[in-house]
Amino acid sequence: MSTLQHSAESRSQAFVRAYLLRRPAVLASLLCLGSFAAFWTAQRVTGVSMIDLMVYRAEGWTVRTGGDLYAMRATYAQLPNTYPPFASLLFMPLTLLDVAPMRTAATAANLALLVASVHLSLKLAGHPARAARPAATLLIASLAVWCEPVWTTLRYGQINLLLVTFVLWDLSRRSGHRWAGAGIGVAAGIKLTPALFVVFLALWGIVHWRRRRPRGRNGAWWNPPMRRAAVATGTFLTTVLLGAVVLPHDSRRFWFGVLFQSDRAGHTDITDNQSLRGVVARLLHTPDPGWPWVAAVCVVTLIGLGAAVAAASAGERRLPFASAWAAVACAFTALLVSPVSWSHHWVWCIPLAVLLGAETLRRRGALAWRTLTGAAALVFCSYALWLVPHGVTGPDRPELDQNAGEMMLSALYPAAGLGVIALTAVLAVRALRKPAPYEPAR
């Protein structure tokens, strides 16, 4: 009997050595499936509500029945609709499914979008080689599914991974592609925050034009970044027009009223809000941070967009992974300056992790980059922001009475975002000081 067992063990070990270890994509697939299965089980055991998905379904049902989109309230929490009318049109197919199949389909779709976002992050960074990219994608996705923003996105049934995938799909396309920019336009039509990428592309196009134009003559202003900005703008306006044609009353109400009511999404000061507005509100112990928040937003917008444009302008030859640095800096700027950025909105930590990992591999043995990568993983995978008192409803909210330690924990994501923007700015300025590849060294 022992001989048979020994023979079986030998055959299994030979199979692992001869097949799995020589085919990393197959091994990564098995690891990814196992991780996703464990994640799915954990979410079902903890009884996730997918409450935001139920709100999306209610929005689609309101459109089907001709109700008032911005007067409706959904679920036990009486949550309102905060998205443009175009998003509600996209949510209509959710009403064709019962709740249980809808939740299953949404979870499966989000897991697929997670794999897609990791793949596009690797493609944008240009690392690793194309042959090794499937294995790297699946391995990273199997780990990323457990970080807090991704866990919370799937817990609520959110659309954050869809928006990230749209934007990364656009930015990773070849320069000059006919439809490059359309993904950003659609993402902005669903949720306004990605519209900052349009501003980034336009500014990059202006800088590109001014640097490349011949002396004494007007250069070609219709360059690839400007073309992407134009396509994104046209696509976004198309979504607005479609919403206005199908839902004229709701469109008028959103664009001239609901758009400016940031408090509809919830209290500004709660721990969930990982934007500058939430940080300033908790720091000042007030639900309305007022002008200090406005001043902070202006400064961070200028620095963040400047860092993103500088990184993109440096180019891949002077700044490796320049496109990835520009994308991450712009995304984190948008998350910081938005009035409300829930913790699950920070799924942009996935491209950040891929980028830091690529930099670490490029600088073999660099302790500083290994430390940065580990720190980013610790911030987004530790769930530390939930260690502070939170979740209390009513007039007395603990977030308005935090001490210094609690404030630091509840500001982890914004602090990481500011750090990434500062790092991008430093790397971009250093790169721009180098002579361009087509210029003689001075």
Side-chain angles (χ1 to χ4, degrees):
M1 188 65 178
S2 59
T3 303
L4 293 176
Q5 289 178 347
H6 178 72
S7 177
E9 290 176 359
S10 300
R11 286 196 299 269
S12 63
Q13 292 174 0
F15 173 78
V16 170
R17 288 194 302 268
Y19 187 78
L20 292 182
L21 295 181
R22 294 183 181 179
R23 292 167 175 81
V26 176
L27 182 59
S29 299
L30 295 176
L31 292 174
C32 187
L33 287 175
S35 179
F36 283 5
F39 174 86
W40 197 309
T41 303
Q43 291 245 315
R44 293 302 175 267
V45 169
T46 54
V48 294
S49 62
M50 303 191 76
I51 188 171
D52 288 345
L53 182 63
M54 300 303 297
V55 176
Y56 300 156
R57 191 174 191 270
E59 293 176 30
W61 185 257
T62 303
V63 172
R64 285 187 58 183
T65 57
D68 190 334
L69 265 179
Y70 300 102
M72 59 146 269
R73 294 292 187 273
T75 74
Y76 65 90
Q78 294 295 292
L79 297 177
N81 177 19
T82 59
Y83 291 176
F86 174 71
S88 300
L89 296 176
L90 298 182
F91 295 148
M92 288 179 63
L94 297 176
T95 63
L96 304 178
L97 298 173
D98 292 333
V99 173
M102 177 190 67
R103 289 177 172 175
T104 300
T107 301
N110 264 328
L111 290 174
L113 287 169
L114 172 60
V115 175
S117 64
V118 173
H119 167 74
L120 292 171
S121 298
L122 288 168
K123 183 179 178 182
L124 185 66
H127 193 88
R130 182 176 298 181
R133 197 171 294 161
T137 297
L138 294 171
L139 182 60
I140 295 172
S142 67
L143 300 175
V145 72
W146 297 99
C147 71
E148 193 275 338
V150 176
W151 170 278
T152 314
T153 289
L154 274 80
R155 171 189 174 187
Y156 292 140
Q158 263 282 346
I159 58 171
N160 305 307
L161 289 169
L162 176 65
L163 302 181
V164 171
T165 301
F166 269 134
V167 174
L168 290 176
W169 177 66
D170 251 359
L171 296 179
S172 61
R173 305 181 86 175
R174 64 176 175 81
S175 178
H177 191 282
R178 178 180 300 178
W179 297 109
I184 294 174
V186 172
I190 297 173
K191 194 171 185 176
L192 296 179
T193 308
L196 193 66
F197 279 93
V198 182
V199 181
F200 154 67
L201 289 171
L203 292 175
W204 181 18
I206 293 172
V207 171
H208 188 279
W209 166 66
R210 290 182 63 85
R211 291 180 62 210
R212 296 296 179 91
R213 64 177 179 176
R215 292 181 179 180
R217 295 182 299 170
N218 290 328
W221 63 271
W222 190 245
N223 48 57
M226 193 66 74
R227 180 188 178 91
R228 291 193 187 198
V231 173
T233 303
T235 305
F236 170 70
L237 294 177
T238 300
T239 67
V240 175
L241 179 62
L242 180 60
V245 170
V246 180
L247 302 168
H249 170 72
D250 295 313
S251 295
R252 185 166 55 251
R253 187 173 178 187
F254 176 81
W255 295 109
F256 296 101
V258 173
L259 174 62
F260 307 101
Q261 300 171 4
S262 58
D263 292 338
R264 282 174 62 92
H267 295 298
T268 300
D269 52 272
I270 60 177
T271 303
D272 309 53
N273 188 9
Q274 292 290 297
S275 70
L276 283 177
R277 191 166 187 240
V279 172
V280 176
R282 293 187 290 270
L283 183 64
L284 299 180
H285 306 291
T286 174
D288 185 10
W291 66 264
W293 166 66
V294 176
V297 163
C298 293
V299 172
V300 171
T301 301
L302 289 175
I303 297 176
L305 284 176
V309 172
S313 300
E316 302 290 340
R317 292 186 179 181
R318 287 190 289 186
L319 177 61
F321 318 125
S323 299
W325 280 113
V328 169
C330 183
F332 280 17
T333 302
L335 292 171
L336 287 167
V337 303
S338 175
V340 175
S341 291
W342 304 132
S343 68
H344 51 75
H345 292 170
W346 288 78
V347 288
W348 277 95
C349 66
I350 298 171
L352 172 64
V354 170
L355 175 58
L356 292 177
E359 289 281 9
T360 302
L361 291 175
R362 188 173 72 88
R363 298 174 169 89
R364 296 185 183 276
L367 178 61
W369 285 97
R370 291 203 303 267
T371 303
L372 283 174
T373 305
L378 181 64
V379 166
F380 291 105
C381 297
S382 64
Y383 296 70
L385 74 161
W386 300 115
L387 297 177
V388 303
H390 66 278
V392 179
T393 58
D396 297 327
R397 298 195 296 276
E399 285 92 347
L400 292 177
D401 192 27
Q402 290 184 344
N403 57 40
E406 291 171 343
M407 285 183 185
M408 291 178 61
L409 287 177
S410 63
L412 278 177
Y413 292 3
L418 292 173
V420 169
I421 292 172
L423 179 59
T424 304
V426 170
L427 294 175
V429 169
R430 287 180 179 177
L432 289 173
R433 288 178 177 175
K434 301 175 183 178
Y438 46 83
E439 295 176 353
R442 298 180 181 177

